[in-house]
Amino acid sequence: MKKLMNSPETLVADGLDGLSAAHSNIVVMAPGRKYLRRREPSRAKVALISGGGSGHEPLHVGFVGRGMLDAACPGQIFSSPTPDQIVEAAQDLAGEAGALFIVKNYAGDRMNFEMAAEIATCRNETLLVDDDVSEEETSRGVGRRGVAGTMIVEKMLGAAAEAGADLATCLRLGAKVKLRTRSIGVALSYCTLPGESQRSFALGPDEMELGVGIHGEPGRRKVPFANADAIAEQLVDTIVGDLANPKSGEALLLINGFGGSPLIELYGMYNAARRSLEGRGVRVVRSLVGNFVTSLDMVGCSITVCLLDEELARLWDSPVHTAALRW
Amino acid sequence: MKKLMNSPETLVADGLDGLSAAHSNIVVMAPGRKYLRRREPSRAKVALISGGGSGHEPLHVGFVGRGMLDAACPGQIFSSPTPDQIVEAAQDLAGEAGALFIVKNYAGDRMNFEMAAEIATCRNETLLVDDDVSEEETSRGVGRRGVAGTMIVEKMLGAAAEAGADLATCLRLGAKVKLRTRSIGVALSYCTLPGESQRSFALGPDEMELGVGIHGEPGRRKVPFANADAIAEQLVDTIVGDLANPKSGEALLLINGFGGSPLIELYGMYNAARRSLEGRGVRVVRSLVGNFVTSLDMVGCSITVCLLDEELARLWDSPVHTAALRW
């Protein structure tokens, strides 16, 4: 499969070099491309550090900057960063307030962040994100996956840390955001890995994958292809059924493209999901539509709902200045 | 081909409804979806009005807001808006300062904007954008196409109009931006039109289309597929060869994805294009990387170079608040 790259081996390095050069007013790449950090870090606050496999851009490297992450550790495509990357980022960026590791719930990421947490001499805590309702909690023992809700956690905690919240407050707030945030995705075609000649899994012309993961892994089940309204209804139904108290009123609705779906389709899905939510009494008061937590060129999208209260809305609205999110 | 939509006939309407609902703090859709306008228009300034076929989102609808467009008239997929859409937008938004129509250079768009310019009773002028160097000027009599450089024109003129520039000044400035801006694209796979079962044109596994247009139209020629550095070198060479005085020093570099290429590949292309430019003595001082002027799900990207001076850099840096561009 043709890709814009020099080779599968250099794609991540070239992409990271491009990103850090294009946004050199916001970020700096550490030697050896171990982590991308803010150009002007503040070691007086809690340092928010995330990371994970590449191929999900702009997550996480595009979210480094004022009001969001302090550093992101990129792995190879769909592979966890190594513990030494995480340790070095933490030692560099954490002051007395310590570091908070924001980790998507996958076995590899958990293991490497756990090792880093033990090795790092700075004070640190870890927040696991597991917003994907597609996977049954007991199915593989690892629990639910962290998907697009991760960017909401990073945005809200970023705002809190910027405003001076301490490590305990960030953890409490993270637990609150997690409790109120759920995601589920659908794929019409899987992604193609660099160097591979075809898409990683096959889907028939009248099939879609419900509950697909962000690594091209199969989801809950293959179902007959349906129109936008029917897909949105099904995804929203799953999300709302899983939220403790969805009738609490107001929500942030995120339609996240996986990388291969045109923006006009994502806005059409937003329209459908919003109507479905409002039909259930959930009022959409904040919105985000675009490709944020991607899976290379996978065709499809996920829906994320985060139930807001005054505190969370304020954190969402707080200024942010990163490569991929700015207001 | 599976798409996230209710039907090919409703995709544009559903997408526009979604966009206007998601960004209701910035924009309002006019009755009949004839045009999308700023929520809080200022009729004391020159009204910047653009439009064109849908399928290129976020262009133009995503660029309506403070510091950029006053209104955008969306046509059906890859089809020009009708003259009445443009007339109504102009009459609604133009005060005594008049309206400036920013029109991509295609026969259909030109014809409909020309008709609108004659019918509209408000004072108005038209600026044709034709930044695509891929097409020989004499090849079809219409001249070069307007592609990704259009968003640079809209951003810079938007800043000028916001600061109170009159119609003549906007025209003069538009001519200056055009003189200094060139684009060229490459496709690895063509787009798929809604309702069609396959991509609109075929490309072999070892072929790419150099100079592709943003409607999936074939470009200058099919060439053997190459790596990112070689592609960037070829595109930059064509651009620099066409600019009157590329050695004047400083440039804005825009890597524009066509919709189907992962962001990490676009940043890799940025890295390659930047090095190629700097090797020719053009220093990249402003950068933008992402999917802005798309062709549905086409795989590939375009490179745009805009030679800056103090005035253009200031206009680029001025605040902008739209759905798709914000700083």
Side-chain angles (χ1 to χ4, degrees), chain A residues 45-109:
Chain A
K45 61 182 273 301
V46 170
L48 295 193
I49 295 172
S50 191
S54 293
H56 304 304
E57 289 70 28
L59 185 85
H60 301 272
V61 282
F63 298 142
V64 174
R66 191 159 27 84
M68 217 158 162
L69 297 177
D70 291 84
C73 306
Q76 285 300 309
I77 299 285
F78 296 169
S79 300
S80 173
T82 55
D84 69 302
Q85 293 181 259
I86 304 160
V87 170
E88 289 187 29
Q91 313 277 49
D92 180 6
L93 293 153
E96 290 199 2
L100 180 65
F101 298 132
I102 300 177
V103 184
K104 301 196 297 303
N105 190 29
Y106 297 96
D109 287 324

Side-chain angles (χ1 to χ4, degrees), chain A residues 1-7 11-24 54-55 57-58 77 186-189 199 203-208 225-231 259-272 274-275 287-289 291 294 296-297 299-301 321 323-324 326-327, chain B residues 1-7 11-24 54-55 57-58 77 186-189 199 203-208 225-231 259-272 274-275 287-289 291 294 296-297 299-301 321 323-324 326-327:
Chain A
M1 181 70 87
K2 292 170 289 186
K3 286 186 177 283
L4 296 167
M5 62 181 179
N6 288 319
S7 72
L11 173 60
V12 171
D14 290 342
L16 291 172
D17 287 355
L19 187 137
S20 54
H23 305 285
S24 60
S54 293
E57 289 70 28
I77 299 285
V186 64
L188 311 191
S189 299
R199 292 184 183 264
L203 270 172
D206 298 316
E207 252 181 359
M208 59 184 189
F225 181 61
N227 71 25
D229 283 346
I231 294 174
S261 283
L263 191 57
I264 194 164
E265 295 181 27
L266 301 182
Y267 275 114
M269 282 298 293
Y270 170 87
N271 197 44
R274 180 182 176 125
R275 276 191 281 121
S287 306
L288 192 66
V289 181
N291 294 294
T294 63
L296 293 168
D297 57 353
V299 180
C301 73
H321 189 75
R326 215 174 296 184
W327 56 68
Chain B
M1 182 71 88
K2 293 170 287 185
K3 284 184 176 286
L4 295 166
M5 63 182 177
N6 287 319
S7 73
L11 173 60
V12 171
D14 289 344
L16 291 172
D17 287 356
L19 186 137
S20 53
H23 306 285
S24 60
S54 294
E57 289 71 25
I77 297 286
V186 63
L188 310 191
S189 299
R199 292 183 183 264
L203 271 172
D206 298 316
E207 251 181 0
M208 60 184 188
F225 181 61
N227 71 24
D229 283 346
I231 294 174
S261 283
L263 191 58
I264 194 163
E265 295 181 26
L266 301 182
Y267 275 113
M269 282 298 293
Y270 170 88
N271 195 46
R274 180 183 176 124
R275 275 190 282 121
S287 307
L288 191 66
V289 181
N291 295 292
T294 62
L296 293 169
D297 57 353
V299 181
C301 73
H321 189 76
R326 216 175 292 185
W327 57 68

Side-chain angles (χ1 to χ4, degrees), chain A residues 9 32 41 52 94 101-102 113 115 117 129 137 166 170-171 175 193 199 207-208 210-211 228 249 269 305 324:
Chain A
E9 293 71 31
F101 298 132
I102 300 177
F113 271 94
M115 285 178 63
V129 185
E137 293 214 33
D166 63 14
C170 286
L171 272 176
L193 292 167
R199 292 184 183 264
E207 252 181 359
M208 59 184 189
L210 203 71
M269 282 298 293
V305 175

